[in-house]
Amino acid sequence: MEKVRISKLMSERGLCSRREADSYIERGWVKVDGVVVSELGAKAYPDQVITLERAAQAQQTSRVTILINKPVGYVSGQAEKGYTPAVALIDARSRDANDRSPLRFSRTHLQGLAVAGRLDIDSQGLLVLTQDGRIARQLIGEDSDVDKEYLVRVQGRLDDRGLALLNHGLSLDGKPLRPAQVRWQNDDQLCFILREGKKRQIRRMCELVGLRVLGLKRVRIGRVRLGNLPQGQWRYLRDDERF
């Protein structure tokens, strides 16, 4: 059995992200089999017990996750080509009046926010921004199995074969797509449930079967739904909510 970097093991076990792990190790907040580890790059065997000190656990607890109903015209991450990033929507005034979280908005909640599952500039709906590396890994890690649900308004004709291909059988960038769940929501709208998120995946899938996407909205990530969150507004992920 070979040793593995402790930060990698911590990430794989869902304790934190690798970057957070390095920060905790530097501060002496990580123990392997009860012994404090403080050397970056240190390794351990996969069957060893890794624990976090209370200071690290307290820091994780204080980190926030924010849900936004992103409008069309905003980019998910960094500003680009003159477009405004979705994080610019977050301030005290744009917080949903029905947000039941007891947290009081602070500018510190905007620091270190990572996008956990992008939406392209032409799409709207549920967008997750988080300071918590565990949540980011859960939603966008290589082994993530959290599904995402989208309502997609389309133009064009789709026969049974095309619908079957949308569910399973298409490839993008030379690689087969994972099986999806695609069904008609109404006469001109499809419901997509995916467990992966390639760039502009749904739009490209629809093009392959002769459809044009007129509108795309993400309404659910795992067990968390967009619900009645108004467009352009945001709320905190509550302690009782899990993806």
Side-chain angles (χ1 to χ4, degrees):
M1 187 183 299
E2 293 185 2
K3 286 189 173 182
V4 180
R5 285 180 67 109
I6 293 172
S7 58
K8 184 174 187 292
L9 290 173
M10 292 171 69
S11 174
E12 290 175 348
R13 296 179 189 183
L15 292 172
C16 58
S17 68
R18 289 196 189 188
R19 185 173 61 180
E20 289 169 334
D22 286 338
S23 173
Y24 297 158
I25 289 170
E26 282 186 313
R27 299 181 190 188
W29 289 354
V30 178
K31 288 183 178 180
V32 176
D33 288 344
V35 178
V36 173
V37 176
S38 56
E39 179 184 350
L40 282 179
K43 296 182 177 181
Y45 290 108
D47 61 351
Q48 288 186 278
V49 177
I50 301 174
T51 54
L52 293 176
E53 295 280 36
R54 288 184 178 179
Q57 296 173 9
Q59 188 174 96
Q60 287 183 325
T61 302
S62 68
R63 291 180 174 171
V64 303
T65 295
I66 290 174
L67 312 177
I68 303 177
N69 185 346
K70 186 189 89 66
V72 169
Y74 287 81
V75 292
S76 295
Q78 299 295 320
E80 57 184 68
K81 298 178 182 177
Y83 294 111
T84 306
V87 69
L89 293 167
I90 305 172
D91 59 31
R93 292 170 300 175
S94 59
R95 183 176 182 180
D96 179 19
N98 295 313
D99 187 356
R100 303 204 309 270
S101 169
L103 288 173
R104 184 174 182 177
F105 175 69
S106 167
R107 300 299 296 181
T108 62
H109 294 166
L110 302 180
Q111 298 172 4
L113 283 174
V115 180
R118 295 175 180 272
L119 279 174
D120 66 52
I121 194 168
D122 299 314
S123 301
Q124 62 180 301
L126 183 58
L127 183 68
V128 177
L129 300 176
T130 185
Q131 294 177 331
D132 193 330
R134 296 168 299 176
I135 288 178
R137 183 181 182 278
Q138 179 189 7
L139 298 187
I140 59 175
E142 291 182 1
D143 57 349
S144 174
D145 62 354
V146 176
D147 60 9
K148 290 92 175 173
E149 182 176 349
Y150 305 80
L151 297 181
V152 185
R153 191 160 55 88
V154 295
Q155 184 180 64
R157 299 183 65 179
L158 181 69
D159 57 20
D160 290 344
R161 180 179 177 276
L163 184 60
L165 283 172
L166 287 174
N167 277 273
H168 192 207
L170 296 177
S171 296
L172 290 177
D173 305 321
K175 295 182 179 179
L177 295 174
R178 292 186 189 179
Q181 297 177 49
V182 185
R183 57 178 171 79
W184 284 107
Q185 185 79 5
N186 53 47
D187 290 343
D188 67 347
Q189 188 167 245
L190 291 164
C191 175
F192 279 71
I193 298 178
L194 305 179
R195 290 184 179 270
E196 60 187 329
K198 294 183 180 294
K199 187 174 182 179
R200 299 179 74 85
Q201 177 173 337
I202 291 176
R203 296 177 188 277
R204 295 163 70 193
M205 290 172 69
C206 287
E207 287 175 4
L208 290 174
V209 295
L211 294 177
R212 179 186 172 207
V213 172
L214 302 179
L216 190 155
K217 181 178 184 179
R218 185 158 61 198
V219 296
R220 179 177 62 82
I221 299 178
R223 289 170 286 184
V224 176
R225 293 188 173 276
L226 178 64
N228 296 321
L229 182 63
Q231 190 171 113
Q233 295 190 21
W234 63 275
R235 69 174 180 86
Y236 290 107
L237 182 74
R238 301 189 308 272
D239 289 341
D240 64 334
E241 290 182 298
R242 297 290 183 275
F243 289 102

